[in-house]
Amino acid sequence: MTVNVGVIGVGMIGKDHIRRLTTVLAGAAVTGVTDVNLDAAQQVADGVPGGANVHSNGQELIDDDAVDAVVVCSWGPTHEEYVLAAIEAGKPVFCEKPLATTQQACRRIIDAEVAFGRRLVQVGYMRRYDAAYRALKGVVDSGDIGTPTMLHSTHRNPSVPGHYTREMAITDTAVHDIDVARWLLADEVVGVRVLKPRKNSLGGELEDPLFILLEMAGGALVDIETNVNIRYGYDIRGEVVGETGTASLGSGGPISVRRNNLVSDRVPEDWRERFIGAYDVEFQEWIDAVGSGGTFGPSSWDGYAAAVVSDAAVEALHSGERVAVELGEKPALYS
Ligand code: NAI
Ligand code: ISE
């Protein structure tokens, strides 16, 4: 069965997902696209093999019978509206992170999905599909390094766009590390602090880098370094420290070059390069789940939890104090 997908938002990642859905993966076709920039939508539609309908807005795309499932790649503040509309239409929806920009909006999505009675939403936390992260999770779950006591998580970007605010280091960037911490340690966050090292002068007014400390319910601590003007490349690191051993993501790219008494590994340019395989696996598994009625990946609950922790971290950034995190009761749909 071919799953007909409609894509809302054809910016940087929307285009990349359309490329993988139409030229890399099996079982999917892109039948509809839309964007507030309709010229951009038309241009992208013209490049889709077999062509795609251009819709004047997201609601029209969701309502189209030629769209079986929806991918939301528009700006964060628009996600809630489209995810709720997809649930209302009973269509599976893959929403790029964040699920929504406030925890209240995420709750409204959870309420709508619970009322629908079945999971329809998957959130774009692609690290869970990365081969290295999956191997790390395998070691943690095997018990080979004992009970985890700490996770060190490093998230470095060479630079960020001009509209990037100091809060976005948490809500846009560290949100991936927050999701990884909950997933790797199979635990929830109960408290957060944010420390501010000396500023990187290349970040202008930005509070950059940041050191974010998460307290997990089981007692493990997670430190997250965000460092988004580091110039040398996109560098993602992770190390789990257990009671009897440690496990880390491998460093570097697929090859290592030795010459002139030096060893060099490639540092990726950006997330598209570093996580290209993860996005492919993420979307193939999503298409397979939509086609076969199988189980979806990161849920509305995961999107909500990331939003609650992010909100607490932003409060901690502003206040300099520890902020407690309270998620409330998890609906049975997400157990
Ligand atoms: P972008 O700015 O390149 O593209 C966003 C597109 O959405 C633009 O073409 C814009 O015109 C369109 N748009 C805005 N409001 C709209 C609306 N109401 N209806 C339809 N289209 C609308 O942004 P980018 O980098 O592609 O990011 C999009 C989303 O993907 C964000 O939520 C971002 O956080 C997420 N993202 C996720 C990544 C990941 O690693 N999982 C990596 C990069 C982005
Ligand atoms: C971007 O929006 C992403 O989601 C990337 O994965 C992340 O590394 C980057 O810092 C964000 O700005």
Side-chain angles (χ1 to χ4, degrees):
M1 169 195 168
T2 298
V3 176
N4 292 324
V5 178
V7 179
I8 301 176
V10 296
M12 186 157 39
I13 205 158
K15 280 203 218 54
D16 201 40
H17 288 336
I18 289 171
R19 177 194 58 77
R20 66 174 39 84
L21 285 165
T22 55
T23 65
V24 181
L25 308 182
V30 172
T31 51
V33 295
T34 189
D35 195 290
V36 280
N37 180 345
L38 282 173
D39 290 341
Q42 186 63 58
Q43 211 177 350
V44 169
D46 290 345
V48 168
N53 297 323
V54 176
H55 293 278
S56 52
N57 57 62
Q59 184 68 56
E60 190 187 292
L61 175 146
I62 292 165
D63 291 340
D64 186 354
D65 288 341
V67 167
D68 304 323
V70 179
V71 172
V72 178
C73 296
S74 47
W75 294 323
T78 68
H79 291 182
E80 177 191 9
E81 177 192 347
Y82 297 135
V83 173
L84 286 175
I87 295 172
E88 173 80 31
K91 295 189 180 180
V93 51
F94 178 101
C95 180
E96 259 310 339
K97 45 68 57 173
L99 175 59
T101 43
T102 67
Q103 52 185 281
Q104 292 79 8
C106 293
R107 265 285 171 196
R108 287 192 284 275
I109 290 171
I110 286 178
D111 291 346
E113 199 177 29
V114 168
F116 185 78
R118 173 161 65 80
R119 279 199 54 199
L120 288 174
V121 181
Q122 176 165 328
V123 188
Y125 286 119
M126 76 299 183
R127 290 189 184 189
R128 297 184 185 208
Y129 298 87
D130 176 67
Y133 270 109
R134 283 190 162 181
L136 184 58
K137 171 91 174 140
V139 172
V140 172
D141 288 352
S142 72
D144 284 354
I145 59 168
T147 304
T149 55
M150 284 178 282
L151 164 65
H152 305 299
S153 194
T154 303
H155 192 149
R156 298 184 183 148
N157 295 47
S159 61
V160 282
H163 67 265
Y164 192 95
T165 62
R166 68 178 187 151
E167 287 78 15
M168 283 172 75
I170 294 166
T171 59
D172 192 57
T173 296
V175 74
H176 285 288
D177 306 77
I178 292 168
D179 181 66
V180 154
R182 297 180 53 254
W183 170 73
L184 267 182
L185 303 178
D187 202 359
E188 295 293 3
V189 180
V190 293
V192 55
R193 293 168 212 265
V194 178
L195 302 176
K196 302 171 201 169
R198 174 180 177 163
K199 274 192 197 184
N200 180 341
S201 60
L202 299 172
E205 294 304 305
L206 276 186
E207 208 75 68
D208 174 53
L210 290 180
F211 190 81
I212 302 162
L213 194 61
L214 308 180
E215 299 166 18
M216 307 305 289
L221 289 182
V222 178
D223 61 83
I224 302 170
E225 170 196 322
T226 59
N227 213 335
V228 299
N229 289 284
I230 202 146
R231 297 299 188 262
Y232 73 83
Y234 182 71
D235 198 4
I236 300 299
R237 301 184 193 187
E239 179 185 33
V240 179
V241 180
E243 287 178 316
T244 56
T246 72
S248 327
L249 300 174
S251 65
I255 65 157
S256 178
V257 177
R258 286 163 195 258
R259 59 191 284 275
N260 295 337
N261 305 99
L262 292 172
V263 182
S264 56
D265 290 328
R266 167 135 182 109
V267 180
E269 182 73 23
D270 62 14
W271 59 87
R272 283 172 297 187
E273 180 181 346
R274 169 62 181 83
F275 288 112
I276 188 168
Y279 294 121
D280 289 350
V281 176
E282 175 186 47
F283 268 87
Q284 188 65 67
E285 291 193 9
W286 180 68
I287 289 296
D288 294 349
V290 172
S292 66
T295 311
F296 295 126
S299 67
S300 301
W301 177 261
D302 295 315
Y304 162 76
V308 176
V309 177
S310 301
D311 284 357
V314 168
E315 190 183 333
L317 170 70
H318 293 157
S319 68
E321 304 291 328
R322 174 190 185 273
V323 176
V325 174
E326 181 53 63
L327 292 180
E329 203 175 324
K330 184 169 168 177
L333 187 63
Y334 307 109
S335 295

